[in-house]
Amino acid sequence: MSKVIAVANQKGGVGKTTTVMNLGAGLAGEEKKVLMIDLDPQASLTLSMGYREPDKLEYSVTDILIREVNDEDIPDELGIIHITEYLDLLPSNIDLSAIEVSMVNAMSRELVLRSYIEIVREKYDFILIDCMPSLGILTVNALACADSVLVPVQAAYLPVKGLQQLIRTIHTVKRRLNSNLEFEGILFTMVDRRTLYAKSIVTNVNEVYGKSIPVFQIEIPISVKASEISMVAKTIYDYDPKGKAANAYTELTREVLRHGC
Ligand code: ADP
Ligand code: MG
């Protein structure tokens, strides 16, 4: 059994990419075979994994989607970068921004990524999709092929309004395209427990959403080391293994494993 988790929030800078990278590495560390898909034309995940010139990569997720749109065969492993024995990356680059336009007229345009996932999912225990900060067609594609959606929320501004819109989209996708879609949970990121503001946001989100959507007990603390990992192209476990962010991501990994497939 494998599980496809879309990491989504239309707000940028909430910790989606950081979470995909460290949850991916965490699961791989538990000897789960993991594929991380960068579905953001900004390619932050690809850059953070050390591919500093994504535009020069021979293949990216865009090539996969174009082949799917054109109903062409996809050679085995096309575009896949092996990071470690257990961790693979399907990178992205700016070409991905053009595909949104070419997908407009594609048949079943919401299900393009799903056809690909159906082919590769048997090779992996977990597939994590790093979504772009919008609720456009690419994010809908991710939600349409996911088993669950993990929603990072930065506990530094009042997120309620944006969350409502996201949750509405998730429900629509579930109703129309993917009845299997569940919530993996809301994950608070960059939490500064010293501030009353962060505490009140956590309380508020728990009150408003906690009954209908699972909220992870574990919170990712704000951490200078965590903010540096994309620059040094290391996971938090390699960069600051004993730090509080590494501990939190280890806990998150355990919780995701407990949820099971
Ligand atoms: P998104 O993918 O949602 O846009 P990122 O994962 O890129 O968000 O994170 C946004 C910014 O916040 C990045 O500069 C990242 O390094 C930083 N960041 C992520 N997690 C933490 C954390 N726990 N503490 C401090 N900074 C963080
Ligand atoms: Mg990102």
Side-chain angles (χ1 to χ4, degrees), residues 11-19 130 190 220-223 226-227 230:
K11 178 140 176 57
V14 297
K16 291 182 291 294
T17 301
T18 308
T19 296
D130 187 17
M190 300 177 227
I220 310 299
I222 191 151
S223 135
S227 71
S230 59

Side-chain angles (χ1 to χ4, degrees), residues 6-26:
V7 177
N9 187 332
Q10 77 275 29
K11 178 140 176 57
V14 297
K16 291 182 291 294
T17 301
T18 308
T19 296
V20 167
M21 184 172 168
N22 293 308
L23 177 59

Side-chain angles (χ1 to χ4, degrees), residues 97-222:
S97 57
I99 193 148
E100 294 207 83
V101 180
S102 48
M103 274 161 87
V104 168
N105 294 319
M107 211 188 281
S108 313
R109 64 201 177 107
E110 294 90 358
L111 304 179
V112 177
L113 184 62
R114 181 148 96 191
S115 336
Y116 174 68
I117 296 288
E118 277 165 9
I119 311 170
V120 292
R121 76 178 291 158
E122 66 178 20
K123 294 190 202 160
Y124 295 98
D125 298 307
F126 288 91
I127 298 178
L128 307 181
I129 308 173
D130 187 17
C131 294
M132 63 191 290
S134 89
L135 293 174
I137 187 70
L138 285 170
T139 299
V140 169
N141 262 267
L143 295 174
C145 67
D147 299 303
S148 69
V149 53
L150 190 160
V151 181
V153 168
Q154 186 185 357
Y157 72 108
L158 212 55
V160 174
K161 227 186 158 113
L163 266 180
Q164 276 168 351
Q165 202 186 353
L166 174 61
I167 289 164
R168 215 175 304 130
T169 303
I170 292 168
H171 283 307
T172 307
V173 170
K174 187 173 163 79
R175 213 169 38 244
R176 300 212 184 136
L177 298 168
N178 178 10
S179 58
N180 293 328
L181 185 62
E182 302 290 348
F183 280 98
E184 194 68 34
I186 291 174
L187 173 69
F188 289 106
T189 60
M190 300 177 227
V191 179
D192 186 349
R193 272 282 164 188
R194 293 168 306 183
T195 66
L196 266 178
Y197 196 48
K199 280 185 213 159
S200 73
I201 287 169
V202 171
T203 309
N204 175 276
V205 169
N206 268 301
E207 276 170 8
V208 177
Y209 298 106
K211 285 202 184 70
S212 47
I213 299 170
V215 179
F216 282 100
Q217 281 297 306
I218 182 74
E219 297 165 357
I220 310 299
I222 191 151

